[in-house]
Amino acid sequence: MENVGSKIKLNPAARKQAERPRTGFWLVVLGAALWGADPLFRIILLREHITPTQIVLLEHIVIALFVFPVLWKHRSEMKGLKLRHIGALLFLSWGGSAIATILFTLGLTHGNLNAVLLLQKLQPIFAIIMARMLLKEKLPKQFGGLLVLALAGTYLLTFGFTFPFGHMNDFVKVGSLLSLGAAALWGGSTVMGRLMVGKMEYETVTSLRFILALPLLIGITINQGDPWQIPTGAGPLAAVSLNLLGQALLPGLFSLLVYYKGLTTTKASVATLAELSFPMVGVLINWIVFNEMVTIAQACGFILIWAALFSISRRSAA
């Protein structure tokens, strides 16, 4: 007599389809985790007296050189785009890729870094609101509790067991406002990306995100009129070039390719919590590069965030 277990094993197609949401979720986690290396590259470039807008423009030029052949290969996918798709692409490229990155880079040079990092955790709030409004997504069971758990973990990663309320002036400085704007745009980009991967291949969405942002970035850079202070010596120029290339390809292009691949089978409201892997990687980089040991509070933050991510992954697969 054949048991139930053997019957399940005889249906690999169904099992593979059930595993796709979970795989997609962890691809989003991986893509977002790679963003954790982005501030490291960005701060090094800022120390070379390159302005935030110039950094973002150079980054997009490098990435555009790699993705243009991909876009040309998939150019047929751009036929028949509706107005809402064009609006989503402009939001992704102008808002999420160009303006948000400029705001975040500016935020690294102003105000309290802890406040900037904490305000980035508001991305799930913006994404959840837009996902419910635009995509009509239903939330997983106990999503509210898991959201609180994840945000509690990110708070511990940022502030530890202390309370920042005695220093509210840090939260109203320029850096905090810039970070809040970036959080809103990136949270909205999660929803717009989910909308577009249902219409196009994720490689095409990624290519358009960077290429469409170039005209806006060129216009902003020209309008600002800041002088270019690229190092002239062979050694410093090579160092800046390698750093820029690494920033553009690792936390830039590759991370987004992985991210959008995972987003094809992951809800936007769920994906935005997966993006909380970003602060965890930031803590590890501080530990490895700057010899800052992980505190007990940060370890507790790791546990809380990963517990939330694991629970959401299980619910997404179900």
Side-chain angles (χ1 to χ4, degrees):
M1 182 176 178
E2 198 173 29
N3 58 37
V4 176
S6 62
K7 290 182 179 180
I8 295 176
K9 292 179 181 179
L10 290 176
N11 192 3
R15 184 172 65 246
K16 183 177 180 181
Q17 184 175 4
E19 291 176 351
R20 285 178 180 173
R22 182 179 299 182
T23 302
F25 177 87
W26 289 110
L27 285 175
V28 175
V29 171
L30 175 60
L34 292 173
W35 300 340
D38 184 81
L40 177 62
F41 292 102
R42 211 168 291 277
I43 289 174
I44 293 176
L45 290 174
L46 287 170
R47 290 176 178 175
E48 296 295 333
H49 306 292
I50 305 175
T51 68
T53 304
Q54 291 170 348
I55 292 174
V56 178
L57 174 60
L58 291 173
E59 174 189 5
H60 279 68
I61 290 175
V62 172
I63 296 177
L65 294 176
F66 284 88
V67 301
F68 183 78
V70 177
L71 180 61
W72 181 257
K73 179 180 179 181
H74 296 271
R75 63 187 183 278
S76 60
E77 296 182 27
M78 292 184 287
K79 296 179 180 179
L81 288 179
K82 297 181 180 179
L83 187 61
R84 67 190 184 110
H85 296 131
I86 297 175
L89 286 172
L90 290 178
F91 190 102
L92 272 172
S93 59
W94 291 9
S97 191
I99 299 177
T101 310
I102 291 174
L103 293 178
F104 181 73
T105 307
L106 281 169
L108 295 175
T109 64
H110 293 84
N112 185 286
L113 183 58
N114 284 340
V116 173
L117 292 174
L118 180 62
L119 288 171
Q120 284 305 306
K121 310 312 177 286
L122 292 176
Q123 289 184 39
I125 306 301
F126 293 112
I128 288 171
I129 294 174
M130 292 190 66
R132 290 184 65 88
M133 293 175 58
L134 300 179
L135 303 183
K136 310 300 181 184
E137 288 191 357
K138 294 182 179 179
L139 302 180
K141 293 181 179 179
Q142 301 177 343
F143 184 81
L146 294 172
L147 173 62
V148 173
L149 184 66
L151 292 178
T154 58
Y155 181 92
L156 290 176
L157 286 176
T158 305
F159 289 111
F161 295 117
T162 61
F163 295 94
F165 303 115
H167 306 280
M168 291 301 293
N169 59 318
D170 289 336
F171 284 79
V172 295
K173 290 184 178 179
V174 175
S176 299
L177 297 177
L178 293 170
S179 181
L180 180 61
L185 289 171
W186 277 330
S189 294
T190 300
V191 181
M192 296 303 175
R194 185 67 183 89
L195 175 65
M196 289 309 304
V197 293
K199 177 67 176 177
M200 295 178 167
E201 295 290 337
Y202 70 95
E203 301 97 329
T204 311
V205 176
T206 305
S207 303
L208 287 171
R209 175 181 178 130
F210 291 106
I211 291 177
L212 290 179
L214 280 177
L216 178 64
L217 287 171
I218 293 174
I220 294 175
T221 304
I222 294 175
N223 182 67
Q224 289 181 344
D226 294 319
W228 290 83
Q229 301 187 34
I230 303 297
T232 55
L237 180 59
V240 169
S241 301
L242 290 175
N243 186 76
L244 180 63
L245 184 64
Q247 173 194 326
L249 297 184
L250 184 60
L253 177 59
F254 180 71
S255 66
L256 279 177
L257 287 173
V258 175
Y259 172 80
Y260 281 129
K261 176 62 175 178
L263 204 59
T264 57
T265 56
T266 307
K267 285 184 177 181
S269 51
V270 175
T272 193
L273 274 185
E275 295 168 14
L276 294 178
S277 56
F278 163 77
M280 294 187 293
V281 173
V283 170
L284 288 176
I285 289 179
N286 285 338
W287 180 25
I288 296 172
V289 178
F290 301 108
N291 297 319
E292 295 183 8
M293 299 296 294
V294 176
T295 65
I296 296 178
Q298 290 171 337
C300 292
F302 271 116
I303 295 173
L304 289 178
I305 292 177
W306 277 111
L309 294 179
F310 180 76
S311 298
I312 293 172
S313 175
R314 295 290 295 267
R315 284 163 174 75
S316 299

